Amino acid sequence: MALTDFDRRRIELYLAGLHGPDPDADHEDDLRDTILCGACETRESIDRRYPDYFSNGLGIVYSTYIKQAQDFFAFVAPRSCFALCAADNRARFSHPTIVKSRLVADRDAKGVLLPLDRNRHWDDLLRVSQCDRPFEQKDDRLVWRGATTGVFNRSDESLDYSARYYVAFQKHRNANIDLKYSKLVQLDGCIDNVPIDLIWAHHDARGLTIAEQLGSKFLLCLEGNDVATGLKWMMASNSTVIMPAPTCETWFCEGELVPWEHYVPVEHDLSNVEEVHDWCLSNKGRCREIAENGKAFVSRFLDTWTEMSIIRTVVREYLDHSDVHIDFPSGERLAQVRNYARLQLRLARFVMYGAMIRRKIGTLRPGGDPIPAGGLPSGRAAS
C-alpha cells in the first residue's frame, strides 16, 4: 500500500530530532534509563553490561522497551546497535536516541520515536470494540479516572504541575462531572505543596472500568508522566475526548491533534471544565462529529503493513545518522545468531496482532459500518 501524505508527515515527525541543531558543547544528556544495545543482543549480555543501572533490574524494562526496540532493529539490520531511553521520557539528548515519548516542543532534540510499550498503549482498543455503544445511548457525564502521575511536587520551579494535580482542587456542584483518582502513586505526604488531604478526598479506590467510562458521552483525558496512556482507546470510542493541548507525543503523534477537530480543549489547570461541559451539552451534534474525527485519526495507525513500512524507514534513517557500536565477544555473537530467530518470531506475532486489532476496530462506528482502510474523512469542525 502506498504511503499517504499523513504517513509521510509521520515519518518526518518521528525523525525530526535527527535534523535538529547540534547541542552546545556543554550540553549533558539526561542519561537516566538510557542504554546502548545490540539489535540481537541477548538479555544476559545486557545484564552483564548494566549490572546496577536499573534499580529494580531489567525486568519490565526489558520486555516493554528493549526487546520491542530489538524487534524492529533486527528486522532491518540484525548486526546494528542503537541508543535507547527505556522509560517515560521528557529529556533532551545530544546524540540520536530511540524514545517512546518526547516533548512536542523538543522535536529537534535528537529523540527518535518508535512504538514501544505497545501493549500498554494499544491493547485497550480491543475492549472498546467489545463494550462501546452509540453516542446517543450514553449518559451526559464527564468522567475521569487515573493515577497521580506527573508533576505533583514542584521541587524544580521550571516544571509545571501535571494537569492531574488540579483534579484535587475540583469542587463541582454538577453531579455529571465525575473526576477522581483511581490509584495513588509517586506521592510524598511530607512535602508541603502536595495537597495530600485533597487528593485522598478525591480518591475512588474502586475506579471505573473502561466499559463503565464508555457509558458517558464525555471523557476527560489528562497526561501523566508523559502522554495519557488511555487517549488511544478514548479516541477510538464513540465518546468525545476533552483534554488540555498535548505537551508530549509518541508514535500516535499526539502533537498533531487539532482542538475542536479531534478533541474539545480545556485549560491545563481545569479552571474552565464546567464551562466546557456546559458547551458540550449544548452542542452534542458537534461533539459527535469530533468523536468521529477522533476515530478517523486512530484508524490511520491500524494498517499493519503501513506501520511496518514506516518503522523500517525510521530505523534505517536512524542508523544512517547514528554511530553506536558495541564490541561483543565471540560467544555473545553466536548467541545473537540464535536470538535473531526468536526476534523474528516476535515480530511476526506483532504483525498478526496488529491485523487482529484492525479487524476489531472495524466494528466501532455507529450502525456497524467498518472504518475504511484509508480512514474517515476528518474535515475540521467549525469553531
Side-chain angles (χ1 to χ4, degrees):
M1 179 182 293
L3 296 182
T4 65
D5 289 342
F6 180 73
D7 295 330
R8 286 186 283 273
R9 170 62 176 162
R10 287 171 58 192
I11 293 172
E12 177 185 341
L13 289 175
Y14 300 150
L15 294 168
L18 296 180
H19 309 294
D22 290 331
D24 297 334
D26 59 353
H27 172 84
E28 293 185 6
D29 284 354
D30 182 351
L31 295 178
R32 177 187 62 86
D33 299 320
T34 303
I35 67 170
L36 304 183
C37 185
C40 295
E41 186 176 4
T42 63
R43 176 171 179 166
E44 292 74 21
S45 172
I46 298 171
D47 271 326
R48 286 192 297 269
R49 293 196 299 109
Y50 295 96
D52 303 313
Y53 201 76
F54 298 97
S55 57
N56 297 319
L58 284 178
I60 193 70
V61 171
Y62 180 74
S63 61
T64 58
Y65 290 95
I66 299 172
K67 188 164 64 171
Q68 292 184 19
Q70 285 182 310
D71 290 345
F72 302 136
F73 277 86
F75 169 60
V76 175
R79 295 179 65 86
S80 63
C81 299
F82 56 92
L84 170 69
C85 177
D88 299 336
N89 174 59
R90 287 175 173 261
R92 297 177 64 89
F93 302 92
S94 60
H95 301 284
T97 302
I98 298 299
V99 298
K100 179 200 75 177
S101 58
R102 68 185 180 202
L103 290 173
V104 174
D106 283 351
R107 287 177 171 173
D108 65 345
K110 304 300 182 184
V112 175
L113 291 168
L114 279 178
L116 306 179
D117 201 3
R118 296 187 298 269
N119 295 348
R120 181 166 175 261
H121 282 259
W122 292 92
D123 276 8
D124 286 334
L125 269 68
L126 294 175
R127 300 188 189 183
V128 173
S129 68
Q130 297 164 359
C131 58
D132 201 13
R133 64 188 73 172
F135 182 85
E136 294 77 10
Q137 295 178 17
K138 298 169 183 270
D139 63 45
D140 289 338
R141 294 195 309 154
L142 168 60
V143 301
W144 179 79
R145 291 295 185 276
T148 52
T149 52
V151 178
F152 276 64
N153 169 35
R154 288 185 63 192
S155 55
D156 182 346
E157 292 297 325
S158 67
L159 299 176
D160 292 328
Y161 283 120
S162 168
R164 298 185 179 204
Y165 172 85
Y166 295 101
V167 170
F169 299 93
Q170 299 301 300
K171 297 179 181 179
H172 302 293
R173 289 172 292 181
N174 186 344
N176 280 334
I177 298 180
D178 182 12
L179 316 179
K180 295 286 193 304
Y181 300 111
S182 55
K183 190 175 182 180
L184 305 185
V185 298
Q186 300 177 196
L187 295 174
D188 185 346
C190 299
I191 298 176
D192 291 339
N193 61 351
V194 177
I196 196 69
D197 292 338
L198 291 175
I199 289 171
W200 274 105
H202 287 76
H203 182 216
D204 172 16
R206 177 187 174 277
L208 293 175
T209 66
I210 286 178
E212 290 170 330
Q213 293 178 65
L214 289 176
S216 299
K217 288 186 177 74
F218 312 114
L219 303 177
L220 185 65
C221 188
L222 302 176
E223 292 182 333
N225 291 331
D226 50 23
V227 298
T229 306
L231 179 60
K232 290 88 170 171
W233 70 257
M234 292 182 186
M235 289 187 62
S237 78
N238 293 321
S239 297
T240 303
V241 172
I242 298 173
M243 68 179 187
T247 65
C248 258
E249 63 186 354
T250 64
W251 189 257
F252 190 55
C253 299
E254 288 87 348
E256 295 296 287
L257 295 171
V258 180
W260 305 113
E261 178 178 342
H262 302 114
Y263 66 95
V264 177
V266 68
E267 294 293 339
H268 179 80
D269 64 2
L270 308 181
S271 57
N272 66 336
V273 69
E274 289 197 38
E275 176 186 342
V276 168
H277 183 243
D278 289 341
W279 181 92
C280 291
L281 293 177
S282 300
N283 295 272
K284 291 182 182 178
R286 286 277 305 280
C287 287
R288 179 178 174 179
E289 179 185 350
I290 290 170
E292 288 295 306
N293 288 339
K295 288 192 294 182
F297 191 88
V298 174
S299 75
R300 293 171 171 175
F301 297 82
L302 299 181
D303 184 87
T304 304
W305 301 112
T306 298
E307 297 305 293
M308 291 308 303
S309 177
I310 293 174
I311 288 168
R312 182 189 299 113
T313 300
V314 170
V315 170
R316 285 175 174 168
E317 189 74 10
Y318 168 86
L319 291 174
D320 285 344
H321 288 78
S322 173
D323 58 358
V324 175
H325 176 75
I326 305 171
D327 288 319
F328 294 109
S330 57
E332 168 60 19
R333 283 290 185 191
L334 289 174
Q336 289 183 22
V337 173
R338 296 189 294 270
N339 197 35
Y340 173 73
R342 290 192 288 270
L343 291 168
Q344 293 302 290
L345 178 59
R346 282 206 306 267
L347 189 64
R349 290 172 179 165
F350 164 73
V351 171
M352 291 186 292
Y353 186 68
M356 181 182 67
I357 291 180
R358 173 73 176 180
R359 289 195 300 271
K360 293 289 186 181
I361 293 301
T363 68
L364 283 178
R365 293 190 65 195
D369 296 330
I371 294 175
L376 297 169
S378 58
R380 184 169 183 172
S383 56

